[in-house]
Amino acid sequence: MRSEAAARAATLRAQIAQHDYRYYVLDDPEVPDAEYDRLMQELRALEAADPSLITADSPTQRVSGTPSAAFGEVSHSVPMLSLENAFSEEDLRGFDRRLHERLGVDGELAYVAEPKLDGLAVSILYREGLLERAATRGDGVTGEDVTANVRTIRAVPQRLRGQAPPLFEARGEVFMPLAGFARMNEQARARGEKVFVNPRNAAAGSLRQLDARLTAARPLTAFFYGLGAVTGVALPPQQHQVLQLLRSLGLPVSPEARTVRGVQGCLAYYRDLGARRSALPYQIDGVVYKLDSRADQERVGFVSRAPRWAIAHKFPAEEAVTVVRDIEFQVGRTGALTPVARLEPVFVGGVTVSNVTLHNIDEVQRKDVRPGDTVVVRRAGDVIPEVVGVLGERRPPGARAVQLPASCPVCQSQVLRVAGEAVARCTGGFTCRAQRQEALRHFASRRALDIEGLGDKVVEQLIEHDYVRSPADIYALELGQLSQLERMGEKSAANLLEAIEKSKRTSLPRLLFGLGIREVGEATALALARHFGSLEALAAADAARIQQVPDVGPIVAAHVAAFFAAPAHLAVIEALKARGVHWPDMPVAAVTGQPLAGRTFVVTGTLESMTREQAQEALTARGAKVAGSVSKKTSYVVAGREAGSKLAKAQQLGIPVLEEAAFLKLLAGE
Ligand code: IVH
């Protein structure tokens, strides 16, 4: 009986180890997670029934032992080195040149290039193939014993595969993939616990848990890249073969590692990996180049604590640490109060960052950013910079939490926050200088009334002198006023007046866009103008009617209706007209009863219930356009029997296809 169970347990252990290997080392899992879980379950049950079946390398033993009070010390018989950094091509050329000089060779040197992983270095000792001890780097000579924690990492095998040397020390990096990091922080946030600022800190924090059961719940993984003490095997002559050896023993190695030739090869690798950096499932902060010839590695040796035969070529840092000088609220065109962190300027992601938006008060409170805090700022690629988190331990005493101001910092009007909305707004409207300024800037902008010469600086001064309060006041400006402004001579003042005069002749879509109605961008302005034809018709419409405009939803409709319901806005429009601003009415594209206005259809194949011509007539009668060929602009393709290339094209472009039944429903307005 026991021998049967023991044999089954051994089989299960071997199967599970094989699945781990397929998953972590080959990156080619053989079975779905559920099957893996089933094997684990069966093994657990066998071991629970007869604990004498448990072996040290059983996958059920990854989490074991009791939490300790402190980590033991481990001394590294082969020191764990650090790396010199190269921050530029020049630094890299210098590195390559020095190696040529020391080795006295010409011609290109071969290097192994691999990602510099953003985690923490570990050294794992296997004796007779069994995981015996794992340690952190510490100061390179003495590290901490994190065996219990490292055992919980499924990517780290409990037993080496194949012919394991008597003693084999593997060196690598433990890190946390981005997906796991995001998931873990989300869960922590939901429980109201502290979140980690980045995957590196999360990995370090997780590995240094005194209770391994906590580490087990953290999504850590590892790649191996080097050796420590090894006995009983001849080591291969080249670094890339060391990687092969690690892999063959069942240790995961970065799939990105490559052998390259010379500086050119290094740089090509660097650029390629740099371009793919943000698409990788984990964070890296550069590339490591290592001489491929291990004999040459030995010949050049070390300087202090770093090898001469390797270098880390850093990518521009995407994260930096700085101090928040202050948090201010900016008031936008629509009165939205946006908290902005004013930072000690910091160079990150290739630019100097001194202001970072915090988006809204919820975000400030969620991240708990306070003036005086030391924060991690991130700017990856072209993404706008963000504060990723606060370094809590560096908070100065007395740092006060940020509150939403009760009144507008610009005009002192009341600040309102609609329940359920993230955004708080100043209620001052045009009486708020900040809103006036933004509104005027927008009104005069190129895609609105297009007043050349009425840029930010001029608008600012016009507001400051209180020459202009509403857009209509622009049309009452006089030469004398303009020429007094800073950096504005007679000539440019006259030019500006001329531009203002010219802008009086405009179009309904431009005017609608320029009025700065919330949620009304250029496309919506055009749709509204086409649908209603005149400002009067639009102003008279209620939200329900406005919502009939193609692509206008209930929120936009409500904003438009509210805008024209405000007497102050109607007064501005009247004043604009009185001062000569004019625009022609537009041909009405779609009146009600044209539910398909703005949509383009292509009809193809044979329909059962009508001819193709009838289908086309039905569509045009409802305001739709009918086209002969499928393009990106097609809204729908109606496909009857034996539809051919047009249907294929629609599928290729991802354009919705209506079969006859759906088409009939659409015509019926269902
Ligand atoms: S090799 C003798 N390779 O970088 C070589 N290190 O700055 C010593 N690291 O402590 C390390 N990825 O934590 C090497 N592919 C890689 C690496 C790597 C990340 C870390 C490691 C090391 C630190 C040195």
Side-chain angles (χ1 to χ4, degrees):
M1 260 317 271
R2 183 184 185 278
S3 69
E4 219 171 88
R8 179 66 188 152
T11 306
L12 288 168
R13 281 196 296 272
Q15 284 179 338
I16 291 166
Q18 172 68 13
H19 291 320
D20 282 339
Y21 173 71
R22 297 281 306 222
Y23 188 91
Y24 290 103
V25 181
L26 303 185
D27 193 17
D28 180 23
E30 220 170 5
V31 294
D33 286 0
E35 169 65 6
Y36 182 94
D37 294 344
R38 198 191 60 72
L39 297 175
M40 277 297 272
Q41 212 108 57
E42 189 185 341
L43 180 61
R44 271 206 199 91
L46 281 176
E47 290 179 347
D50 179 357
S52 77
L53 294 179
I54 299 173
T55 58
D57 66 344
S58 172
T60 61
Q61 301 306 297
R62 284 191 178 275
V63 190
S64 63
T66 42
S68 50
F71 296 107
E73 280 190 355
V74 170
S75 54
H76 300 296
S77 58
V78 177
M80 289 183 77
L81 302 171
S82 66
L83 292 168
E84 285 291 336
N85 289 323
F87 293 102
S88 65
E89 231 176 274
E90 268 331 285
D91 291 352
L92 173 63
R93 288 185 197 284
F95 164 75
D96 181 67
R97 186 175 355 97
R98 288 191 297 278
L99 285 178
H100 275 99
E101 285 163 9
R102 285 197 176 264
L103 294 168
V105 294
D106 296 327
E108 288 179 335
L109 290 167
Y111 295 102
V112 168
E114 60 196 10
K116 184 162 196 296
L117 302 155
D118 215 357
L120 60 160
V122 291
S123 183
I124 304 187
L125 184 69
Y126 289 89
R127 194 181 299 276
E128 304 299 343
L130 264 188
L131 193 164
E132 179 174 280
R133 196 201 62 202
T136 62
R137 188 168 94 93
D139 61 6
V141 179
T142 312
E144 286 174 324
D145 185 333
V146 286
T147 311
N149 293 344
V150 167
R151 256 192 225 290
T152 68
I153 303 173
R154 270 176 52 192
V156 176
Q158 306 255 71
R159 176 189 283 281
L160 295 178
R161 292 173 70 86
Q163 272 296 324
L167 202 67
F168 189 85
E169 199 176 2
R171 300 233 161 125
E173 197 86 351
V174 167
F175 61 96
M176 190 177 286
L178 290 165
F181 169 71
R183 208 177 330 115
M184 188 184 106
N185 263 356
E186 229 165 76
Q187 289 164 357
R189 204 171 284 135
R191 288 193 299 261
E193 291 170 10
K194 141 176 173 334
V195 295
F196 286 102
V197 289
N198 56 36
R200 212 204 85 80
N201 286 11
S206 302
L207 199 63
R208 298 195 69 264
Q209 285 288 345
L210 285 166
D211 185 349
R213 284 169 302 188
L214 295 178
T215 311
R218 303 286 175 81
L220 293 174
T221 189
F223 281 143
F224 291 84
Y225 46 66
L227 301 175
V230 176
T231 63
V233 274
L235 291 179
Q238 288 171 317
Q239 183 71 26
H240 76 266
Q241 295 165 328
V242 168
L243 298 183
Q244 286 167 355
L245 173 67
L246 288 163
R247 265 173 88 82
S248 71
L249 290 170
L251 294 155
V253 168
S254 169
E256 306 291 345
R258 298 276 182 283
T259 312
V260 299
R261 310 216 136 255
V263 172
Q264 282 319 318
C266 291
L267 289 176
Y269 181 91
Y270 179 83
R271 289 191 199 111
D272 172 62
L273 198 64
R276 293 189 293 117
R277 180 185 187 187
S278 58
L280 292 176
Y282 42 79
Q283 274 190 357
I284 61 174
D285 57 357
V287 170
V288 183
Y289 312 113
K290 297 171 184 170
L291 260 185
D292 196 27
S293 160
R294 297 187 69 246
D296 285 352
Q297 290 182 2
E298 274 180 30
R299 282 171 64 199
V300 298
F302 309 92
V303 257
S304 67
R305 312 240 313 269
R308 285 204 185 88
W309 45 265
I311 197 159
H313 191 182
K314 300 298 273 285
F315 290 133
E318 290 184 331
E319 285 186 1
V321 169
T322 190
V323 171
V324 178
R325 285 180 178 160
D326 201 2
I327 295 175
E328 291 174 2
F329 285 84
Q330 275 180 353
V331 185
R333 176 164 64 82
T334 61
L337 261 61
T338 305
V340 177
R342 309 280 179 213
L343 306 171
E344 290 295 340
V346 61
F347 191 73
V348 57
V351 297
T352 300
V353 174
S354 36
N355 300 302
V356 173
T357 176
L358 295 167
H359 304 292
N360 56 58
I361 187 73
D362 286 347
E363 176 97 348
V364 178
Q365 287 169 351
R366 187 169 65 72
K367 289 183 173 162
D368 191 19
V369 190
R370 306 181 183 189
D373 269 343
T374 301
V375 291
V376 176
V377 174
R378 178 172 178 80
R379 181 181 183 271
D382 289 331
V383 181
I384 59 164
E386 58 165 348
V387 168
V388 284
V390 174
L391 300 180
E393 62 283 4
R394 296 217 218 155
R395 170 166 291 166
R400 300 256 302 261
V402 176
Q403 303 293 342
L404 183 67
S407 59
C408 172
V410 176
C411 73
Q412 274 71 50
S413 297
Q414 197 193 356
V415 167
L416 259 193
R417 186 173 174 199
V418 176
E421 271 191 27
V423 182
R425 286 176 207 279
C426 160
T427 53
F430 271 157
T431 63
C432 176
R433 221 185 48 161
Q435 290 186 58
R436 280 207 302 268
Q437 184 159 317
E438 292 306 312
L440 282 177
R441 211 204 298 260
H442 176 76
F443 183 84
S445 66
R446 202 171 44 78
R447 300 205 305 258
L449 277 277
D450 191 19
I451 308 178
E452 214 186 309
L454 198 55
D456 295 0
K457 284 273 166 283
V458 178
V459 168
E460 226 168 86
Q461 294 184 64
L462 292 177
I463 297 282
E464 227 158 78
H465 285 83
D466 211 13
Y467 289 161
V468 171
R469 293 194 156 210
S470 90
D473 298 338
I474 293 173
Y475 297 95
L477 285 167
E478 287 167 8
L479 192 66
Q481 291 173 310
L482 290 181
S483 54
Q484 276 168 23
L485 302 181
E486 247 173 69
R487 273 180 292 169
M488 177 83 80
E490 286 275 330
K491 178 80 185 126
S492 33
N495 286 345
L496 179 52
L497 269 191
E498 203 174 302
I500 291 172
E501 190 59 33
K502 216 175 99 194
S503 76
K504 286 182 180 172
R505 191 193 154 100
T506 187
S507 70
L508 183 54
R510 276 179 182 273
L511 180 81
L512 283 176
F513 175 60
L515 287 174
I517 306 167
R518 283 206 14 226
E519 306 285 342
V520 177
E522 264 181 303
T524 306
L526 183 63
L528 289 169
R530 282 206 178 130
H531 187 88
F532 287 98
S534 73
L535 190 70
E536 291 69 25
L538 172 59
D542 60 11
R545 283 204 42 216
I546 297 170
Q547 218 182 303
Q548 289 174 354
V549 178
D551 296 326
V552 169
I555 295 178
V556 178
H559 282 308
V560 175
F563 182 90
F564 289 105
H569 294 146
L570 297 178
V572 169
I573 292 166
E574 282 315 310
L576 282 169
K577 285 203 250 180
R579 288 176 178 154
V581 180
H582 61 281
W583 54 91
D585 286 349
M586 306 251 306
V588 177
V591 289
T592 27
Q594 297 217 304
L596 301 180
R599 313 265 149 91
T600 304
F601 285 73
V602 172
V603 183
T604 181
T606 314
L607 297 171
E608 304 286 336
S609 55
M610 60 180 99
T611 65
R612 207 179 301 167
E613 288 67 37
Q614 285 169 331
Q616 289 170 351
E617 261 168 42
L619 284 166
T620 39
R622 287 164 179 75
K625 268 207 288 193
V626 178
S629 62
V630 179
S631 76
K632 274 190 301 197
K633 295 201 183 115
T634 310
S635 319
Y636 293 99
V637 169
V638 178
R641 253 187 311 114
E642 278 148 36
S645 62
K646 288 178 189 171
L647 174 59
K649 181 89 185 275
Q651 283 160 344
Q652 183 198 337
L653 293 176
I655 288 162
V657 174
L658 297 175
E659 289 180 357
E660 184 157 355
F663 175 56
L664 292 176
K665 277 191 179 170
L666 183 84
L667 289 182
E670 286 170 30

